[in-house]
Amino acid sequence: MTPGAAAAQGQPGDDAHAVTAQALDEVVAATDLRHLDEVRARYLGRGDGLLTVLKRRVGGMTDPAARAQLGKTLNELSTRVEEALAERQAALSAAVESQRRQSEVVDLTRPAPPLRRGYLHPTTRCARDIRRIFAHLGYTAVGGPEVEYDRYNFTLVNMPPGHPSRDTQATFYIDDVRLLRTHTSPVQIRSMVALGVPLKVIVPGKAYRRDYDATHFPMFHQVEGLCVDRDITVADLKGTLEFFARSMFGPERAIRLRPHHFRFTEPSLEVDVSCMVCGGDGCRTCKGSGWIEILGSGMVHPDVLRNGGVDPDRFTGFAFGMGIERIAQLAYGIEDGRLLYENDLRFIRQM
Ligand code: PHE
């Protein structure tokens, strides 16, 4: 007969010892705290715990002496079960705790995981590369405002109001006199005025045009260069830009100058570099020609020198301007220029 069944019928006195013995066995056999709670409920549970039920039946006994005697026994047995439960609970809790400590152990001697460093955006890196190359030639980096006066952006670099050359630079106007600069060339004027001549400056910065397609973005980066001194000639321009091209794209590179037209230079020259992919044999990057256009340049127009407060009879100079995104694409082999604007970390980390 199970103790439960005995508790339900039979004599409460005999049952109590059997039930208690069973309870103590189960307490010892409980292997985790949840089991132990089940054991506690089975024997001491308020409503139908086996010992609880027996106590209730003792309350119904008619002989007061026997009732007191058995009540006392039952209390003692319950206490023993409670003590056994408490002891087992302490042991099981200690085991749980020691297991937790073991699994959470912190090894202070273990090397820390490497810190992930930040990355320079390729456009930033390229601007810095360009700046460093020209620093070797004694150029100073300067800046200018992105919100510029129409006068500086156009008029003073020889593009007077109403002149059709303005139309080629789809402009974001702010009001009648101010705009977002469409190129870094206004800084030519600003630096001649601010610094005087002789002068060698490099101007990395943002420029804005109302263009938006796969290869044109409304905001892009340019680097302007300006060198003004006595007796500056096209030979200086060529030597300087050849040094730049070789530093940027490799010592085997050659450059060639092609006649072009800008309002603020005369003569104007576009500069090509021999293809860094095929070495000049012709490939997809150079569209089979072996040459790749990298920048616009020329001898500073006498009017522009004058607008900068410089006497063109005593000083001459050359200027150049290039798109940083384009240089970055060519120098680092980035096929799709849109990657430079998407800020996808997977791309930036690769660089
Ligand atoms: N400002 C010209 C452009 O944005 C580039 C340039 C600068 C050309 C200086 C000649 C001299 O296209």
Side-chain angles (χ1 to χ4, degrees), residues 169 182-183 185 188 209 222 224 262 264-265 296-298 319-321:
Q169 307 197 358
T182 60
H183 52 179
S185 297
Q188 288 189 31
R209 289 184 202 174
Q222 281 193 333
E224 192 83 9
F262 298 106
F264 30 88
T265 47
S297 67
F320 55 89

Side-chain angles (χ1 to χ4, degrees), residues 158-273:
N158 220 6
M159 298 163 86
H163 194 280
S165 64
R166 288 185 170 213
D167 298 346
T168 62
Q169 307 197 358
T171 309
F172 289 111
Y173 278 95
I174 290 179
D175 54 31
D176 286 348
V177 294
R178 287 175 304 171
L179 44 74
L180 294 180
R181 69 179 179 196
T182 60
H183 52 179
T184 42
S185 297
V187 189
Q188 288 189 31
I189 303 292
R190 287 183 174 276
S191 26
M192 284 189 279
V193 170
L195 304 171
V197 285
L199 174 79
K200 281 200 268 187
V201 290
I202 191 93
V203 191
K206 293 184 169 73
Y208 301 83
R209 289 184 202 174
R210 281 173 39 216
D211 271 338
Y212 197 13
D213 60 38
T215 54
H216 294 87
F217 294 85
M219 185 278 290
F220 56 101
H221 296 82
Q222 281 193 333
V223 175
E224 192 83 9
L226 175 66
C227 168
V228 182
D229 205 335
R230 292 175 199 275
D231 306 320
I232 296 291
T233 68
V234 176
D236 297 305
L237 178 158
K238 184 169 184 189
T240 300
L241 296 178
E242 189 175 73
F243 175 80
F244 164 70
R246 291 186 172 157
S247 306
M248 194 78 212
F249 301 112
E252 351 33 83
R253 298 280 72 77
I255 63 166
R256 73 174 183 190
L257 309 181
R258 275 182 295 104
H260 197 70
H261 178 262
F262 298 106
R263 289 285 301 172
F264 30 88
T265 47
E266 181 57 36
S268 298
L269 301 159
E270 266 191 341
V271 176
D272 298 340
V273 62

